[in-house]
Coordinates of all heavy atoms in Angstrom, one line a residue:
M1 N -9.2 -14.9 15.4 CA -9.3 -13.5 15.0 C -10.8 -13.1 14.9 O -11.4 -12.9 13.9 CB -8.7 -13.3 13.5 CG -8.5 -11.8 13.2 SD -7.8 -11.5 11.7 CE -6.2 -10.9 12.2
M2 N -11.3 -12.8 16.2 CA -12.6 -12.4 16.3 C -12.7 -10.8 16.7 O -11.7 -10.4 17.3 CB -13.3 -13.2 17.4 CG -13.3 -14.7 17.2 SD -14.0 -15.3 15.6 CE -15.7 -15.2 16.2
G3 N -13.8 -10.3 16.6 CA -14.0 -8.9 16.9 C -15.4 -8.3 16.6 O -16.4 -9.1 16.5
S4 N -15.4 -7.0 16.3 CA -16.7 -6.5 16.0 C -17.0 -6.4 14.5 O -16.2 -6.8 13.7 CB -16.6 -4.9 16.4 OG -15.9 -4.2 15.5
W5 N -18.3 -6.1 14.2 CA -18.7 -6.1 12.7 C -17.8 -5.1 11.9 O -17.7 -5.4 10.7 CB -20.2 -5.8 12.6 CG -20.5 -4.3 13.1 CD1 -20.8 -3.9 14.3 CD2 -20.4 -3.1 12.2 NE1 -21.0 -2.5 14.2 CE2 -20.8 -2.1 12.9 CE3 -20.0 -2.9 10.9 CZ2 -20.8 -0.8 12.5 CZ3 -20.1 -1.6 10.4 CH2 -20.4 -0.5 11.1
A6 N -17.2 -4.1 12.6 CA -16.5 -3.1 11.8 C -15.0 -3.5 11.7 O -14.1 -2.6 11.2 CB -16.6 -1.7 12.3
G7 N -14.6 -4.6 12.3 CA -13.2 -5.1 12.2 C -12.3 -4.7 13.3 O -11.1 -4.9 13.3
A8 N -13.0 -4.2 14.5 CA -12.2 -3.8 15.7 C -11.9 -5.2 16.5 O -12.8 -6.0 16.7 CB -12.9 -2.8 16.5
M9 N -10.7 -5.2 17.0 CA -10.2 -6.5 17.5 C -9.7 -6.4 18.9 O -9.0 -5.4 19.3 CB -9.2 -7.1 16.7 CG -9.4 -7.1 15.2 SD -8.1 -7.8 14.2 CE -6.8 -6.6 14.5
G10 N -9.9 -7.4 19.8 CA -9.3 -7.6 21.1 C -9.8 -6.8 22.2 O -10.8 -6.0 22.1
H11 N -9.0 -6.8 23.3 CA -9.4 -6.1 24.5 C -9.7 -4.6 24.3 O -10.6 -4.0 25.0 CB -8.3 -6.3 25.6 CG -8.2 -7.6 26.1 ND1 -8.9 -8.0 27.3 CD2 -7.6 -8.7 25.7 CE1 -8.7 -9.3 27.6 NE2 -7.8 -9.7 26.7
T12 N -8.8 -4.0 23.5 CA -9.0 -2.6 23.3 C -9.4 -2.1 21.9 O -9.2 -1.0 21.4 CB -7.7 -1.8 23.7 OG1 -6.6 -2.4 23.1 CG2 -7.5 -1.9 25.2
Q13 N -9.8 -3.1 21.2 CA -10.6 -2.9 19.8 C -9.7 -2.2 18.8 O -10.1 -1.1 18.3 CB -11.8 -2.2 20.0 CG -12.8 -3.0 20.9 CD -13.4 -4.2 20.2 OE1 -14.3 -4.1 19.4 NE2 -12.8 -5.4 20.4
F14 N -8.5 -2.7 18.4 CA -7.7 -2.3 17.3 C -8.3 -2.6 16.1 O -8.6 -3.8 15.9 CB -6.3 -2.8 17.6 CG -5.4 -2.0 18.3 CD1 -5.6 -1.9 19.7 CD2 -4.2 -1.4 17.8 CE1 -4.8 -1.2 20.5 CE2 -3.3 -0.7 18.7 CZ -3.6 -0.6 19.9
I15 N -8.3 -1.7 15.1 CA -8.5 -2.1 13.8 C -7.3 -2.7 13.1 O -6.2 -2.3 13.7 CB -9.1 -1.1 12.8 CG1 -8.1 0.2 12.8 CG2 -10.5 -0.6 13.4 CD1 -8.6 1.2 11.8
P16 N -7.3 -3.5 12.1 CA -6.0 -4.2 11.7 C -4.9 -3.2 11.3 O -3.7 -3.6 11.7 CB -6.5 -4.9 10.4 CG -7.9 -5.3 10.7 CD -8.5 -4.1 11.5
T17 N -5.1 -2.2 10.7 CA -4.0 -1.2 10.2 C -3.4 -0.6 11.5 O -2.1 -0.4 11.6 CB -4.5 -0.1 9.3 OG1 -5.7 0.5 9.9 CG2 -4.8 -0.7 7.9
S18 N -4.1 -0.3 12.5 CA -3.6 0.2 13.8 C -2.8 -0.8 14.6 O -1.7 -0.6 15.0 CB -4.7 0.7 14.7 OG -5.3 1.9 14.1
F19 N -3.3 -2.0 14.5 CA -2.7 -3.2 15.2 C -1.3 -3.4 14.5 O -0.2 -3.5 15.1 CB -3.4 -4.5 15.0 CG -2.8 -5.7 15.4 CD1 -3.1 -6.2 16.6 CD2 -1.9 -6.4 14.6 CE1 -2.5 -7.4 17.1 CE2 -1.3 -7.6 15.1 CZ -1.6 -8.1 16.3
D20 N -1.4 -3.4 13.1 CA -0.1 -3.7 12.3 C 1.0 -2.7 12.6 O 2.2 -3.0 12.7 CB -0.4 -3.7 10.8 CG 0.8 -4.1 10.0 OD1 1.4 -5.2 10.3 OD2 1.1 -3.5 9.0
A21 N 0.5 -1.4 12.7 CA 1.5 -0.3 13.0 C 2.0 -0.2 14.5 O 3.1 0.2 14.7 CB 0.9 1.0 12.5
L22 N 1.1 -0.4 15.4 CA 1.4 -0.1 16.8 C 1.3 -1.2 17.8 O 1.7 -0.9 19.0 CB 0.5 1.1 17.2 CG 0.7 2.4 16.3 CD1 -0.4 3.4 16.6 CD2 2.1 2.9 16.7
A23 N 0.8 -2.3 17.5 CA 0.6 -3.4 18.5 C 2.0 -3.9 18.8 O 3.0 -3.9 18.0 CB -0.3 -4.5 18.0
V24 N 2.2 -4.3 20.1 CA 3.4 -4.7 20.6 C 3.4 -6.2 21.2 O 2.3 -6.6 21.7 CB 4.1 -3.8 21.6 CG1 4.4 -2.5 20.9 CG2 3.2 -3.7 22.8
D25 N 4.5 -6.9 21.2 CA 4.6 -8.2 21.8 C 5.2 -7.9 23.2 O 6.5 -8.0 23.4 CB 5.5 -9.1 21.0 CG 5.8 -10.5 21.8 OD1 5.0 -10.8 22.7 OD2 6.8 -11.1 21.4
F26 N 4.3 -7.6 24.3 CA 4.8 -7.2 25.6 C 5.3 -8.4 26.3 O 6.1 -8.4 27.2 CB 3.8 -6.4 26.3 CG 4.3 -5.7 27.6 CD1 5.2 -4.6 27.4 CD2 3.9 -6.1 28.8 CE1 5.6 -4.0 28.5 CE2 4.4 -5.5 29.9 CZ 5.2 -4.3 29.7
T27 N 4.7 -9.6 26.0 CA 5.0 -10.8 26.7 C 6.3 -11.4 26.3 O 6.9 -12.4 26.9 CB 3.9 -11.9 26.6 OG1 3.7 -12.2 25.3 CG2 2.6 -11.3 27.1
G28 N 6.8 -11.1 25.1 CA 8.0 -11.7 24.5 C 7.8 -13.1 23.9 O 8.9 -13.8 23.8
D29 N 6.6 -13.5 23.7 CA 6.4 -14.9 23.1 C 6.4 -14.9 21.6 O 6.1 -16.0 21.1 CB 5.1 -15.5 23.7 CG 3.9 -14.7 23.2 OD1 4.1 -13.7 22.4 OD2 2.7 -15.2 23.4
G30 N 6.7 -13.8 21.0 CA 6.9 -13.8 19.5 C 5.5 -13.5 18.8 O 5.5 -13.4 17.5
K31 N 4.4 -13.3 19.6 CA 3.0 -12.9 19.0 C 2.5 -11.7 19.7 O 2.8 -11.5 20.9 CB 2.2 -14.1 19.2 CG 2.6 -15.3 18.5 CD 1.6 -16.5 18.6 CE 2.0 -17.8 18.0 NZ 1.0 -18.8 18.3
R32 N 1.8 -10.9 18.9 CA 1.1 -9.7 19.4 C -0.3 -10.2 19.6 O -1.1 -10.0 18.7 CB 1.2 -8.6 18.5 CG 2.7 -8.0 18.3 CD 2.7 -6.9 17.2 NE 2.4 -7.5 15.9 CZ 2.3 -6.7 14.8 NH1 2.4 -5.4 14.8 NH2 1.9 -7.3 13.6
D33 N -0.5 -10.8 20.8 CA -1.9 -11.4 20.9 C -2.8 -10.4 21.9 O -2.7 -10.4 23.0 CB -1.7 -12.7 21.7 CG -3.0 -13.6 21.8 OD1 -4.1 -13.0 21.4 OD2 -3.0 -14.6 22.3
V34 N -3.6 -9.8 21.2 CA -4.5 -8.8 21.8 C -5.8 -9.4 22.2 O -6.8 -8.8 22.7 CB -4.7 -7.5 21.1 CG1 -3.4 -6.8 20.8 CG2 -5.5 -7.8 19.8
W35 N -6.0 -10.6 21.9 CA -7.3 -11.4 22.0 C -7.4 -12.3 23.2 O -8.5 -12.7 23.7 CB -7.5 -12.3 20.8 CG -7.7 -11.5 19.5 CD1 -8.9 -11.1 18.9 CD2 -6.6 -11.3 18.6 NE1 -8.6 -10.5 17.7 CE2 -7.3 -10.6 17.5 CE3 -5.3 -11.4 18.6 CZ2 -6.6 -10.0 16.4 CZ3 -4.5 -10.9 17.5 CH2 -5.2 -10.3 16.4
N36 N -6.2 -12.7 23.8 CA -6.2 -13.6 24.9 C -7.1 -13.1 26.1 O -6.7 -12.2 26.8 CB -4.7 -13.8 25.4 CG -4.6 -15.1 26.3 OD1 -5.5 -15.3 27.1 ND2 -3.4 -15.7 26.2
P37 N -8.1 -13.9 26.4 CA -9.1 -13.4 27.4 C -8.5 -13.5 28.8 O -9.0 -12.8 29.7 CB -10.2 -14.4 27.2 CG -9.7 -15.6 26.7 CD -8.6 -15.1 25.7
R38 N -7.5 -14.3 29.0 CA -6.8 -14.5 30.3 C -5.6 -13.6 30.5 O -5.1 -13.5 31.6 CB -6.6 -15.9 30.7 CG -7.8 -16.7 30.7 CD -7.5 -18.2 31.0 NE -6.8 -18.8 29.9 CZ -7.3 -19.2 28.8 NH1 -8.7 -19.2 28.7 NH2 -6.7 -19.7 27.8
K39 N -5.1 -13.1 29.5 CA -3.8 -12.4 29.5 C -3.8 -11.2 28.6 O -3.5 -11.3 27.4 CB -2.7 -13.4 29.0 CG -1.3 -13.0 29.5 CD -0.3 -14.1 29.2 CE 1.1 -13.6 29.7 NZ 1.2 -13.5 31.2
P40 N -4.2 -10.0 29.2 CA -4.4 -8.8 28.4 C -3.1 -8.0 28.2 O -3.1 -6.8 27.7 CB -5.4 -8.0 29.2 CG -5.0 -8.3 30.6 CD -4.7 -9.8 30.6
D41 N -2.0 -8.7 28.5 CA -0.7 -7.9 28.5 C -0.4 -7.2 27.2 O -0.2 -6.0 27.2 CB 0.5 -8.8 28.8 CG 0.3 -9.7 30.1 OD1 -0.9 -10.0 30.3 OD2 1.3 -9.8 30.8
D42 N -0.5 -7.9 26.1 CA -0.1 -7.3 24.7 C -1.1 -6.2 24.4 O -0.7 -5.2 23.8 CB -0.1 -8.4 23.7 CG 1.1 -9.4 23.7 OD1 1.9 -9.1 24.7 OD2 1.2 -10.3 23.0
A43 N -2.4 -6.5 24.7 CA -3.4 -5.5 24.3 C -3.2 -4.1 25.0 O -3.3 -3.1 24.6 CB -4.8 -6.1 24.6

């Protein structure tokens, strides 16, 4: 769970509350992984 000093995360820099409300599991693997450097699908 890495990101910016202000708490923004992943390819498109979601803050945790936005992630919790609106992030999706587009790959269907059971996780909303916006950090995967090789697979930006969820982000």
Side-chain angles (χ1 to χ4, degrees):
M1 188 181 252
M2 308 295 287
S4 76
W5 67 266
M9 312 178 299
H11 287 269
T12 51
Q13 296 291 279
F14 272 64
I15 59 173
T17 50
S18 293
F19 176 100
D20 187 50
L22 297 168
V24 298
D25 172 21
F26 196 69
T27 61
D29 65 354
K31 298 179 180 180
R32 298 173 295 175
D33 188 355
V34 301
W35 297 267
N36 192 324
R38 294 178 297 278
K39 201 172 182 62
D41 304 39
D42 287 356

